[in-house]
Amino acid sequence: MGKIQKISLALVGLIIGGSLVGCDDGRAGAEVAAKQLASAISALDVGDVAFEGKDAAAANEQLQEVFKALEPGKPAVETGELKLEEDTATVPLAYNWKIGSSEWKYSVTAELKKSGDSWLTVWKPALLVPDLVDGEILTKATESPQRADILGAGDAPLVTYRPVVNVGIDKQQLAGGDPAASAGKLAELVGVDSAAFVSQVQAAGAEAFVVAITLRDDASRTVTDAQISAIPGARAIKESMPLAPTRTFARALLGTVGQANAEQIEKSGGALTAGDVTGTGGLQQQYDALLRGTDRVIIRAQKADLTAEEIQAAGTDPRRTVFDVPATPGTPLKTTLDPSSQQLAEEILADIQPASAIVALRPSTGAVLAAASGPGSNGYNTAMLGQYAPGSTFKMVDSLAMFRNGMTPDSKVECTPTLTVDGRTFKNAEGYPADSLGSVTLRDAFAHSCNTAFISARDSVSQAQLESAATSLGVAVEAPKLGADAFLGSVPGEAEGTEHAASMIGQGKILMSPLSAAVMAGSVAKGAPVSPQLVLNADAAVPGSAASESPTAAAATPSSSASDAPPPAKTAEKPITKEEATALADMMRAVVTSGHAGFLMDVPGSPVGAKTGTAEFGKENPPKTHAWIVAVHGDLAVAVFVEEGGLGATTSGPLLKEFLTAAG
């Protein structure tokens, strides 16, 4: 191509380009300005937007003030179809706010004006919210629905609204008195930290009511209204709040309810705000969204300086509602927990100082009737989360594995005083009867819990067979119907030497919770693996919440036996059969009729079958021991555990007898 041709083409391109510029009606520039405006509002920062009739900094300050009540939320703002008329343009702005679980959508119209080569936004408050005028801001109020109850067996209310009194200092009623002096006297009266409460009262505003403690307003209340009112400024304000029947009732399992703290609010993703009531720990936290429901949210436009007094004095509310989401009531959480069984278990454990637990369930259905953790557990859910060596209760698993190798309760085994495996000496429990040594039936070795007889079977019963037999009894198997966090047991499939020998007597790396021990016993009574059930409507939980996940195994407990246990199996490898269960039940009955649980012979009702267990732990000499006993009694399976309890028969046994006798 020649030089003249190149110049000609360049001139043509220049002419065409000039024609396009000449035909530009300004739409492209207006659309760019509109999109920049939408993006700036979405970020709640219009400090770089060019406005007509308003300084950008002033406009940004007003925007911040209008939307302050909605922090930390930000709107998603998108532009619609721009309409152009010479040097002016209008464009719809579509707002979308996330308000809790709802969306607040609205549209406004932005006006743009061309100034030279630029497009300016015409500032007006209605650009932010429809019909908003200068001097107005948005406010946000929430109204929480009443929290739903937690129900027990037969829909008996476990946690429901009960009367309380908030005891504190009302600084408006001090009448010139010394707030520190009153706070100190009240703190001493109700038993709270005096220095901390005095500091709270002193730091609070002149019109504040500062709560020292919330007390149940029932017969358990020992601080009287007269004692409180005798202190200047002290008041007891009646209220109600979700509470269990007593302060300790299933506390570790159910959790508690109170005002959300800063950490809970931060983690809630906007679901919780200051003043909201929420669950802490246990089922209250796990099913918080289900129980809480959703708040009513009201967003109003009002004068920035409007006072509460002016609102009350006005005949008609001067505020304008711009968005209103109705509340959704919470859904009651239905459980299988039996109030009388739970209360009985807690009363029996009331004086036990070490960590302890009683779990009772119905083998026929798997329904958990009681899951009590004693005061020595210090608020921990030992009943369902504890991880402890089960000791000789695990001989139920050994025996099932031995049955599958051809043995019966009448098969002969050798019970020796001691047995040495790879240099480690194992012995029977102190006081083992001499007349049960030597060649005895498996039933007799089980009834008297001969350690050496069961360890002697280690060569014919592999660790893998133990694992399989454990799952056959419902141990270390997922519990899809439980609906609560629990440790379901752990039985490693591989172990050699002394570790395998220790496994035969429920030590080594074998771990159970009181719940899994009750499941093991219950599976014998049922003649099939028991799958425990506690929460009946877990499927009603809000999708994506903690409760919508099926909990199976929990983190390690603070006990000395805690370990990083593997997850439970999906199902039993080979479910226990009726015939196998009958043979095990025969041997469990022998523990009562001829073994060292004879104290259960006079329990009224159906014959009791049991198995005791004592598991050594720690490095002391003599070592400390966990005390266990499990039992079946008709359609009832019970596990009793005491963390530092001597022998299972002598420590946990009497607690079990008391429970079975009273439970009927």
Side-chain angles (χ1 to χ4, degrees):
M1 183 181 292
K3 185 175 181 182
I4 295 176
Q5 288 177 302
K6 291 183 180 179
I7 293 173
S8 299
L9 289 173
L11 288 171
V12 171
L14 189 60
I15 293 169
I16 293 173
S19 298
L20 291 174
V21 172
C23 294
D24 181 16
D25 57 4
R27 176 176 295 275
E31 288 180 341
V32 169
K35 290 187 180 298
Q36 288 175 338
L37 173 65
S39 177
I41 296 176
S42 295
L44 295 184
D45 185 356
V46 295
D48 292 330
V49 175
F51 290 103
E52 183 193 71
K54 189 78 169 181
D55 177 71
N60 197 50
E61 185 177 343
Q62 187 172 2
L63 174 143
Q64 300 289 335
E65 186 178 4
V66 167
F67 290 140
K68 183 174 179 59
L70 304 187
E71 291 179 348
K74 293 181 179 180
V77 184
E78 294 184 355
T79 59
E81 185 178 352
L82 183 137
K83 293 182 180 179
L84 184 69
E85 292 185 10
E86 297 183 352
D87 289 344
T88 64
T90 57
V91 62
L93 299 179
Y95 281 71
N96 188 345
W97 292 85
K98 295 288 186 182
I99 306 294
S101 59
S102 300
E103 292 183 333
W104 178 26
K105 297 180 178 181
Y106 59 85
S107 291
V108 299
T109 299
E111 184 180 354
L112 305 173
K113 288 187 177 181
K114 193 172 184 182
S115 176
D117 293 332
S118 301
W119 284 89
L120 307 180
T121 299
V122 179
W123 173 260
K124 54 183 177 181
L127 187 68
L128 306 177
V129 180
D131 302 322
L132 198 73
V133 299
D134 278 324
E136 285 189 325
I137 60 170
L138 296 183
T139 59
K140 177 183 174 184
T142 59
E143 297 175 5
S144 299
Q146 181 163 296
R147 190 176 182 87
D149 293 347
I150 296 181
L151 306 175
D155 287 345
L158 301 181
V159 180
T160 190
Y161 276 80
R162 304 178 194 272
V164 297
V165 288
N166 291 318
V167 182
I169 297 295
D170 187 343
K171 297 187 75 172
Q172 292 186 90
Q173 295 194 2
L174 278 168
D178 182 1
S182 290
K185 290 178 181 177
L186 184 61
E188 184 178 355
L189 175 65
V190 300
V192 300
D193 187 298
S194 179
F197 184 58
V198 168
S199 296
Q200 284 181 305
V201 171
Q202 289 177 321
E207 299 180 354
F209 175 68
V210 186
V211 177
I213 195 171
T214 299
L215 301 173
R216 289 173 179 263
D217 196 12
D218 56 21
S220 67
R221 180 179 161 197
T222 57
V223 179
T224 67
D225 287 343
Q227 290 174 304
I228 295 167
S229 59
I231 300 171
R235 291 180 64 194
I237 299 178
K238 293 184 180 293
E239 198 184 356
S240 64
M241 64 184 299
L243 294 173
T246 67
R247 186 180 63 83
T248 59
F249 183 91
R251 188 181 181 95
L253 172 61
L254 298 176
T256 58
V257 176
Q259 287 199 354
N261 58 37
E263 182 180 0
Q264 289 171 321
I265 292 170
E266 183 179 351
K267 289 182 177 180
S268 74
L272 295 174
T273 58
D276 282 349
V277 170
T278 190
T280 300
L283 299 182
Q284 288 286 6
Q285 180 171 330
Q286 185 178 339
Y287 291 93
D288 184 60
L290 182 74
L291 293 162
R292 191 176 72 245
T294 59
D295 292 347
R296 179 189 180 191
V297 182
I298 312 165
I299 298 176
R300 299 182 176 96
Q302 66 176 63
K303 291 193 305 179
D305 57 355
L306 187 66
T307 65
E309 291 76 12
E310 288 175 328
I311 295 172
Q312 292 175 353
T316 303
D317 195 332
R319 299 169 296 180
R320 183 173 76 259
T321 298
V322 295
F323 184 64
D324 191 344
V325 181
T328 302
T331 300
L333 189 69
K334 297 185 176 184
T335 76
T336 61
L337 212 62
D338 177 60
S340 59
S341 297
Q342 180 71 25
Q343 190 64 48
L344 171 63
E346 292 185 7
E347 289 172 358
I348 290 171
L349 296 176
D351 296 327
I352 305 300
Q353 294 184 356
S356 60
I358 294 177
V359 174
L361 55 79
R362 293 240 180 267
S364 59
T365 63
V368 177
L369 306 179
S373 300
S377 296
N378 296 318
Y380 191 76
N381 189 358
T382 301
M384 295 178 65
L385 299 178
Q387 294 187 27
Y388 298 95
S392 291
T393 61
F394 194 72
K395 289 171 184 170
M396 295 169 64
V397 174
D398 295 350
S399 298
L400 178 56
M402 293 163 77
F403 293 162
R404 291 175 174 177
N405 284 342
M407 297 186 73
T408 71
D410 293 314
S411 296
K412 292 290 186 175
V413 294
E414 289 298 318
C415 180
T416 57
T418 62
L419 182 67
T420 301
V421 179
D422 293 344
R424 178 180 173 183
T425 299
F426 294 89
K427 62 180 182 178
N428 297 314
E430 293 295 330
Y432 188 87
D435 57 359
S436 289
L437 292 171
S439 181
V440 298
T441 64
L442 179 61
R443 180 188 296 106
D444 195 32
F446 185 92
H448 292 94
S449 206
C450 178
N451 288 338
T452 58
F454 282 89
I455 295 172
S456 293
R458 69 192 183 281
D459 291 336
S460 59
V461 177
S462 69
Q463 190 73 19
Q465 286 178 308
L466 289 182
E467 181 185 34
S468 176
T471 64
S472 299
L473 288 164
V475 176
V477 177
E478 286 186 2
K481 299 187 299 180
L482 187 61
D485 289 333
F487 176 70
L488 302 172
S490 176
V491 181
E494 295 182 5
E496 302 292 339
T498 57
E499 187 178 308
H500 178 48
S503 293
M504 300 296 293
I505 55 173
Q507 301 201 164
K509 292 183 178 179
I510 308 294
L511 295 172
M512 284 193 196
S513 64
L515 171 67
S516 60
V519 165
M520 177 174 66
S523 297
V524 174
K526 183 179 180 180
V530 168
S531 183
Q533 181 173 36
L534 176 65
V535 178
L536 296 172
N537 61 333
D539 55 352
V542 179
S545 70
S548 67
E549 302 169 7
S550 297
T552 53
T557 82
S559 85
S560 57
S561 301
S563 74
D564 295 326
K570 292 290 183 184
T571 58
E573 179 181 327
K574 182 182 178 183
I576 188 172
T577 65
K578 291 285 186 183
E579 294 73 20
E580 291 169 338
T582 298
L584 268 177
D586 169 270
M587 299 206 304
M588 289 177 71
R589 181 60 179 162
V591 174
V592 178
T593 57
S594 61
H596 47 225
F599 53 85
L600 297 174
M601 278 289 289
D602 58 353
V603 172
S606 301
V608 178
K611 184 68 193 83
T612 58
T614 304
E616 296 179 350
F617 72 95
K619 297 181 179 180
E620 294 184 16
N621 190 14
K624 295 180 179 180
T625 56
H626 302 318
W628 292 88
I629 189 167
V630 297
V632 292
H633 184 217
D635 193 20
L636 186 66
V638 183
V640 180
F641 167 79
V642 179
E643 185 178 32
E644 296 179 22
L647 300 177
T650 57
T651 300
S652 296
L655 305 178
L656 172 68
K657 181 179 181 180
E658 185 178 353
F659 183 85
L660 293 179
T661 302

